[in-house]
Amino acid sequence: MTAPSTNQENHVTTGATVWLTGLPSAGKTTIAHELAARLREQGRPAEVLDGDEIREFLSAGLGFSREDRHTNVQRIGFVAELLARNGVLALVPVIAPYADSREAVRARHEANGTPYVEVHVATPVEVCSVRDVKGLYAKQAAGELSGLTGVDDPYEEPEKPDLRIESQHQTVQESAAAVHAVLSERGLA
């Protein structure tokens, strides 16, 4: 990995992509927003590429088949890498259920020399279903929804993430601090 470029005032100017993967209601977006606020307080440009917003504006028309999910992840990965290569910390709280899709995004970053950090928000499905932020687990249980990641659709956990967070055992602030620590160790925050 290349050392981050710096300006004369010794501020970090290199961007990076931080991909937070995990089940629905794992805490990915909440952690990303907390981390973004922390980074912005430090004067670092940070953007949260929320999966729901991306589906509405960039991937409208895609469904939830394996192929459509792959296409969605690749589109998000492209935008994240573009932002990161231009000095932004792109925080991506997106499920990305398939390992090959996540690896393709990582490979794109590596090919361009852009830092990439994979964070597995490893909240168990039992905890996620109680949180049920969007009511997806309740709809699935009632038979109103099928293809729910981690329930009746696959979720391939990362084998070697850069960081694994068990959000059920710590506060949002502690989770964001753990991600921030990894970024700091790598000279990215």
Side-chain angles (χ1 to χ4, degrees):
M1 180 162 66
T2 337
S5 58
T6 57
N7 65 20
Q8 293 171 334
E9 297 171 358
N10 214 20
H11 290 100
V12 178
T13 58
T14 299
T17 294
V18 179
W19 199 290
L20 297 101
T21 179
L23 297 174
S25 297
K28 302 175 300 296
T29 302
T30 305
I31 294 167
H33 282 290
E34 179 70 23
L35 179 59
R38 179 182 288 233
L39 291 165
R40 289 176 187 137
E41 285 173 8
Q42 296 176 322
R44 293 286 285 129
E47 288 295 332
V48 176
L49 299 179
D50 180 83
D52 292 334
E53 292 175 357
I54 296 289
R55 276 214 173 257
E56 182 179 351
F57 297 107
L58 187 63
S59 294
L62 289 180
F64 291 90
S65 67
R66 184 179 180 107
E67 296 77 21
D68 282 357
R69 288 177 191 246
H70 179 77
T71 298
N72 185 50
V73 168
Q74 297 316 297
R75 288 178 182 177
I76 297 168
F78 173 79
V79 173
E81 196 279 327
L82 183 66
L83 287 168
R85 136 166 61 115
N86 285 284
V88 176
L89 285 164
L91 311 178
V92 186
V94 173
I95 296 169
Y98 301 108
D100 61 342
S101 296
R102 294 190 304 267
E103 283 308 310
V105 171
R106 181 186 294 274
R108 170 188 294 281
H109 282 71
E110 288 173 357
N112 290 313
T114 307
Y116 180 86
V117 177
E118 183 179 67
V119 177
H120 180 205
V121 183
T123 310
V125 69
E126 299 79 21
V127 174
C128 294
S129 65
V130 170
R131 290 179 180 170
D132 204 10
V133 178
K134 299 174 193 168
L136 299 175
Y137 293 93
K139 288 180 182 174
Q140 192 276 336
E144 300 169 15
L145 174 76
S146 63
L148 181 59
T149 302
V151 178
D152 60 353
D153 210 52
Y155 177 72
E156 299 170 356
E157 290 190 7
E159 290 182 17
K160 296 180 183 177
D162 298 290
L163 176 65
R164 186 176 314 276
I165 292 174
E166 295 182 2
S167 70
Q168 72 276 18
H169 297 305
Q170 60 192 76
T171 66
V172 172
Q173 293 76 17
E174 290 168 334
S175 295
V179 180
H180 189 272
V182 169
L183 293 174
S184 295
E185 288 168 11
R186 297 182 182 192
L188 299 169

mmCIF file of all heavy atoms in Angstrom, residues 12 15 20 22 35 37 39 57 72 76 83 85 105 114 124 130 132 135-136 142 146 179-180 184-187 189:
data_model
loop_
_atom_site.group_PDB
_atom_site.id
_atom_site.type_symbol
_atom_site.label_atom_id
_atom_site.label_comp_id
_atom_site.label_asym_id
_atom_site.label_seq_id
_atom_site.Cartn_x
_atom_site.Cartn_y
_atom_site.Cartn_z
ATOM 1 N N VAL A 12 -3.881 14.815 6.006
ATOM 2 C CA VAL A 12 -4.097 13.686 5.110
ATOM 3 C C VAL A 12 -4.993 14.143 3.964
ATOM 4 O O VAL A 12 -6.005 14.794 4.177
ATOM 5 C CB VAL A 12 -4.780 12.520 5.873
ATOM 6 C CG1 VAL A 12 -5.058 11.359 4.939
ATOM 7 C CG2 VAL A 12 -3.920 12.073 7.041
ATOM 8 N N GLY A 15 -7.967 9.789 -0.073
ATOM 9 C CA GLY A 15 -9.273 9.248 0.249
ATOM 10 C C GLY A 15 -9.184 7.745 0.410
ATOM 11 O O GLY A 15 -8.115 7.142 0.273
ATOM 12 N N LEU A 20 -18.932 -1.070 4.636
ATOM 13 C CA LEU A 20 -19.518 -1.725 5.809
ATOM 14 C C LEU A 20 -20.554 -2.720 5.315
ATOM 15 O O LEU A 20 -21.608 -2.334 4.807
ATOM 16 C CB LEU A 20 -20.162 -0.696 6.734
ATOM 17 C CG LEU A 20 -19.191 0.317 7.339
ATOM 18 C CD1 LEU A 20 -19.266 1.639 6.595
ATOM 19 C CD2 LEU A 20 -19.474 0.529 8.796
ATOM 20 N N GLY A 22 -22.923 -6.274 6.001
ATOM 21 C CA GLY A 22 -23.605 -6.986 7.072
ATOM 22 C C GLY A 22 -25.077 -7.124 6.729
ATOM 23 O O GLY A 22 -25.544 -6.613 5.714
ATOM 24 N N LEU A 35 -19.403 7.838 11.987
ATOM 25 C CA LEU A 35 -18.027 7.970 11.532
ATOM 26 C C LEU A 35 -17.868 9.205 10.643
ATOM 27 O O LEU A 35 -16.886 9.945 10.779
ATOM 28 C CB LEU A 35 -17.593 6.712 10.783
ATOM 29 C CG LEU A 35 -16.177 6.704 10.210
ATOM 30 C CD1 LEU A 35 -15.126 6.911 11.303
ATOM 31 C CD2 LEU A 35 -15.937 5.398 9.454
ATOM 32 N N ALA A 37 -19.550 11.978 10.718
ATOM 33 C CA ALA A 37 -19.571 13.177 11.567
ATOM 34 C C ALA A 37 -18.214 13.374 12.236
ATOM 35 O O ALA A 37 -17.680 14.492 12.277
ATOM 36 C CB ALA A 37 -20.680 13.059 12.612
ATOM 37 N N LEU A 39 -15.275 12.276 11.203
ATOM 38 C CA LEU A 39 -14.287 12.653 10.189
ATOM 39 C C LEU A 39 -14.445 14.104 9.763
ATOM 40 O O LEU A 39 -13.452 14.830 9.613
ATOM 41 C CB LEU A 39 -14.398 11.720 8.978
ATOM 42 C CG LEU A 39 -13.965 10.281 9.233
ATOM 43 C CD1 LEU A 39 -14.460 9.365 8.113
ATOM 44 C CD2 LEU A 39 -12.452 10.191 9.377
ATOM 45 N N PHE A 57 -31.632 6.304 -6.837
ATOM 46 C CA PHE A 57 -31.130 7.274 -7.811
ATOM 47 C C PHE A 57 -30.153 6.722 -8.835
ATOM 48 O O PHE A 57 -30.091 7.208 -9.952
ATOM 49 C CB PHE A 57 -30.469 8.451 -7.075
ATOM 50 C CG PHE A 57 -31.434 9.210 -6.227
ATOM 51 C CD1 PHE A 57 -31.392 9.108 -4.850
ATOM 52 C CD2 PHE A 57 -32.422 10.007 -6.800
ATOM 53 C CE1 PHE A 57 -32.295 9.794 -4.053
ATOM 54 C CE2 PHE A 57 -33.329 10.691 -6.004
ATOM 55 C CZ PHE A 57 -33.271 10.582 -4.630
ATOM 56 N N ASN A 72 -25.567 -3.705 -8.887
ATOM 57 C CA ASN A 72 -25.726 -2.622 -7.916
ATOM 58 C C ASN A 72 -24.428 -2.393 -7.134
ATOM 59 O O ASN A 72 -23.956 -1.267 -6.999
ATOM 60 C CB ASN A 72 -26.885 -2.942 -6.967
ATOM 61 C CG ASN A 72 -27.189 -1.813 -6.018
ATOM 62 O OD1 ASN A 72 -27.336 -0.659 -6.421
ATOM 63 N ND2 ASN A 72 -27.290 -2.138 -4.747
ATOM 64 N N ILE A 76 -21.994 0.984 -7.139
ATOM 65 C CA ILE A 76 -21.634 1.679 -5.905
ATOM 66 C C ILE A 76 -20.115 1.686 -5.743
ATOM 67 O O ILE A 76 -19.524 2.706 -5.381
ATOM 68 C CB ILE A 76 -22.316 1.029 -4.689
ATOM 69 C CG1 ILE A 76 -23.833 1.144 -4.806
ATOM 70 C CG2 ILE A 76 -21.824 1.674 -3.388
ATOM 71 C CD1 ILE A 76 -24.605 0.281 -3.816
ATOM 72 N N LEU A 83 -14.801 8.714 -5.825
ATOM 73 C CA LEU A 83 -14.720 9.681 -4.719
ATOM 74 C C LEU A 83 -13.405 9.520 -3.955
ATOM 75 O O LEU A 83 -12.707 10.507 -3.683
ATOM 76 C CB LEU A 83 -15.896 9.494 -3.763
ATOM 77 C CG LEU A 83 -17.258 9.958 -4.249
ATOM 78 C CD1 LEU A 83 -18.363 9.439 -3.321
ATOM 79 C CD2 LEU A 83 -17.316 11.466 -4.358
ATOM 80 N N ARG A 85 -10.552 8.203 -4.816
ATOM 81 C CA ARG A 85 -9.357 8.590 -5.580
ATOM 82 C C ARG A 85 -9.219 10.103 -5.655
ATOM 83 O O ARG A 85 -8.149 10.616 -5.966
ATOM 84 C CB ARG A 85 -9.431 7.880 -6.924
ATOM 85 C CG ARG A 85 -9.121 8.626 -8.145
ATOM 86 C CD ARG A 85 -8.912 7.711 -9.338
ATOM 87 N NE ARG A 85 -10.066 6.905 -9.680
ATOM 88 C CZ ARG A 85 -10.738 7.041 -10.828
ATOM 89 N NH1 ARG A 85 -10.371 7.919 -11.726
ATOM 90 N NH2 ARG A 85 -11.769 6.268 -11.076
ATOM 91 N N VAL A 105 -15.023 -5.289 -6.263
ATOM 92 C CA VAL A 105 -14.877 -3.883 -5.854
ATOM 93 C C VAL A 105 -13.484 -3.655 -5.268
ATOM 94 O O VAL A 105 -12.805 -2.684 -5.608
ATOM 95 C CB VAL A 105 -15.981 -3.480 -4.850
ATOM 96 C CG1 VAL A 105 -15.708 -2.105 -4.262
ATOM 97 C CG2 VAL A 105 -17.350 -3.507 -5.527
ATOM 98 N N THR A 114 -6.155 2.705 -4.906
ATOM 99 C CA THR A 114 -7.038 3.418 -3.988
ATOM 100 C C THR A 114 -7.253 2.587 -2.728
ATOM 101 O O THR A 114 -7.650 1.434 -2.824
ATOM 102 C CB THR A 114 -8.402 3.690 -4.667
ATOM 103 O OG1 THR A 114 -8.172 4.356 -5.919
ATOM 104 C CG2 THR A 114 -9.284 4.565 -3.801
ATOM 105 N N PRO A 124 -25.646 -10.633 14.676
ATOM 106 C CA PRO A 124 -26.407 -11.859 14.388
ATOM 107 C C PRO A 124 -27.822 -11.554 13.901
ATOM 108 O O PRO A 124 -28.438 -10.560 14.296
ATOM 109 C CB PRO A 124 -26.455 -12.585 15.739
ATOM 110 C CG PRO A 124 -25.423 -11.953 16.584
ATOM 111 C CD PRO A 124 -25.236 -10.556 16.076
ATOM 112 N N VAL A 130 -34.778 -8.280 15.676
ATOM 113 C CA VAL A 130 -35.409 -7.522 16.764
ATOM 114 C C VAL A 130 -35.324 -6.022 16.455
ATOM 115 O O VAL A 130 -36.290 -5.294 16.638
ATOM 116 C CB VAL A 130 -34.741 -7.845 18.120
ATOM 117 C CG1 VAL A 130 -35.218 -6.895 19.209
ATOM 118 C CG2 VAL A 130 -35.031 -9.284 18.511
ATOM 119 N N ASP A 132 -34.985 -4.618 13.405
ATOM 120 C CA ASP A 132 -35.876 -4.535 12.240
ATOM 121 C C ASP A 132 -36.216 -3.102 11.845
ATOM 122 O O ASP A 132 -37.387 -2.724 11.742
ATOM 123 C CB ASP A 132 -37.141 -5.348 12.497
ATOM 124 C CG ASP A 132 -37.819 -5.799 11.202
ATOM 125 O OD1 ASP A 132 -37.205 -5.638 10.115
ATOM 126 O OD2 ASP A 132 -38.945 -6.310 11.280
ATOM 127 N N GLY A 135 -38.641 -2.893 9.013
ATOM 128 C CA GLY A 135 -39.770 -3.815 9.043
ATOM 129 C C GLY A 135 -39.636 -4.983 8.086
ATOM 130 O O GLY A 135 -40.620 -5.682 7.816
ATOM 131 N N LEU A 136 -38.431 -5.222 7.572
ATOM 132 C CA LEU A 136 -38.234 -6.291 6.592
ATOM 133 C C LEU A 136 -38.401 -7.680 7.194
ATOM 134 O O LEU A 136 -38.997 -8.569 6.569
ATOM 135 C CB LEU A 136 -36.842 -6.166 5.962
ATOM 136 C CG LEU A 136 -36.561 -4.875 5.206
ATOM 137 C CD1 LEU A 136 -35.109 -4.840 4.733
ATOM 138 C CD2 LEU A 136 -37.514 -4.723 4.034
ATOM 139 N N ALA A 142 -44.222 -12.657 7.949
ATOM 140 C CA ALA A 142 -45.644 -12.669 7.616
ATOM 141 C C ALA A 142 -45.905 -13.191 6.198
ATOM 142 O O ALA A 142 -47.054 -13.238 5.758
ATOM 143 C CB ALA A 142 -46.213 -11.255 7.764
ATOM 144 N N SER A 146 -40.068 -12.036 0.258
ATOM 145 C CA SER A 146 -39.116 -13.152 0.150
ATOM 146 C C SER A 146 -37.809 -12.587 -0.391
ATOM 147 O O SER A 146 -37.762 -11.482 -0.927
ATOM 148 C CB SER A 146 -39.658 -14.249 -0.766
ATOM 149 O OG SER A 146 -39.815 -13.751 -2.071
ATOM 150 N N VAL A 179 -13.636 1.776 13.696
ATOM 151 C CA VAL A 179 -13.351 1.986 12.271
ATOM 152 C C VAL A 179 -12.362 3.133 12.115
ATOM 153 O O VAL A 179 -11.399 3.050 11.346
ATOM 154 C CB VAL A 179 -14.641 2.257 11.467
ATOM 155 C CG1 VAL A 179 -14.310 2.465 9.991
ATOM 156 C CG2 VAL A 179 -15.652 1.132 11.636
ATOM 157 N N HIS A 180 -12.576 4.208 12.872
ATOM 158 C CA HIS A 180 -11.682 5.364 12.818
ATOM 159 C C HIS A 180 -10.259 4.951 13.181
ATOM 160 O O HIS A 180 -9.289 5.409 12.566
ATOM 161 C CB HIS A 180 -12.186 6.463 13.752
ATOM 162 C CG HIS A 180 -11.457 7.746 13.600
ATOM 163 N ND1 HIS A 180 -10.312 8.033 14.295
ATOM 164 C CD2 HIS A 180 -11.710 8.825 12.807
ATOM 165 C CE1 HIS A 180 -9.883 9.227 13.953
ATOM 166 N NE2 HIS A 180 -10.711 9.735 13.045
ATOM 167 N N SER A 184 -6.952 5.509 11.008
ATOM 168 C CA SER A 184 -5.799 6.236 11.568
ATOM 169 C C SER A 184 -4.525 5.417 11.449
ATOM 170 O O SER A 184 -3.468 5.941 11.069
ATOM 171 C CB SER A 184 -6.056 6.607 13.026
ATOM 172 O OG SER A 184 -7.122 7.531 13.114
ATOM 173 N N GLU A 185 -4.614 4.121 11.779
ATOM 174 C CA GLU A 185 -3.446 3.234 11.674
ATOM 175 C C GLU A 185 -2.886 3.200 10.265
ATOM 176 O O GLU A 185 -1.690 3.040 10.059
ATOM 177 C CB GLU A 185 -3.827 1.799 12.080
ATOM 178 C CG GLU A 185 -4.063 1.603 13.549
ATOM 179 C CD GLU A 185 -4.732 0.251 13.865
ATOM 180 O OE1 GLU A 185 -4.819 -0.613 12.949
ATOM 181 O OE2 GLU A 185 -5.164 0.078 15.014
ATOM 182 N N ARG A 186 -3.752 3.365 9.289
ATOM 183 C CA ARG A 186 -3.337 3.319 7.876
ATOM 184 C C ARG A 186 -3.036 4.694 7.309
ATOM 185 O O ARG A 186 -2.810 4.837 6.089
ATOM 186 C CB ARG A 186 -4.414 2.632 7.043
ATOM 187 C CG ARG A 186 -4.585 1.190 7.470
ATOM 188 C CD ARG A 186 -5.597 0.479 6.661
ATOM 189 N NE ARG A 186 -5.733 -0.902 7.169
ATOM 190 C CZ ARG A 186 -6.378 -1.840 6.539
ATOM 191 N NH1 ARG A 186 -6.944 -1.595 5.379
ATOM 192 N NH2 ARG A 186 -6.449 -3.037 7.061
ATOM 193 N N GLY A 187 -3.058 5.726 8.166
ATOM 194 C CA GLY A 187 -2.760 7.073 7.701
ATOM 195 C C GLY A 187 -3.852 7.687 6.860
ATOM 196 O O GLY A 187 -3.602 8.562 6.042
ATOM 197 N N ALA A 189 -6.929 8.838 8.274
ATOM 198 C CA ALA A 189 -7.796 9.728 9.064
ATOM 199 C C ALA A 189 -6.954 10.542 10.024
ATOM 200 O O ALA A 189 -5.843 10.207 10.332
ATOM 201 C CB ALA A 189 -8.825 8.918 9.848
#
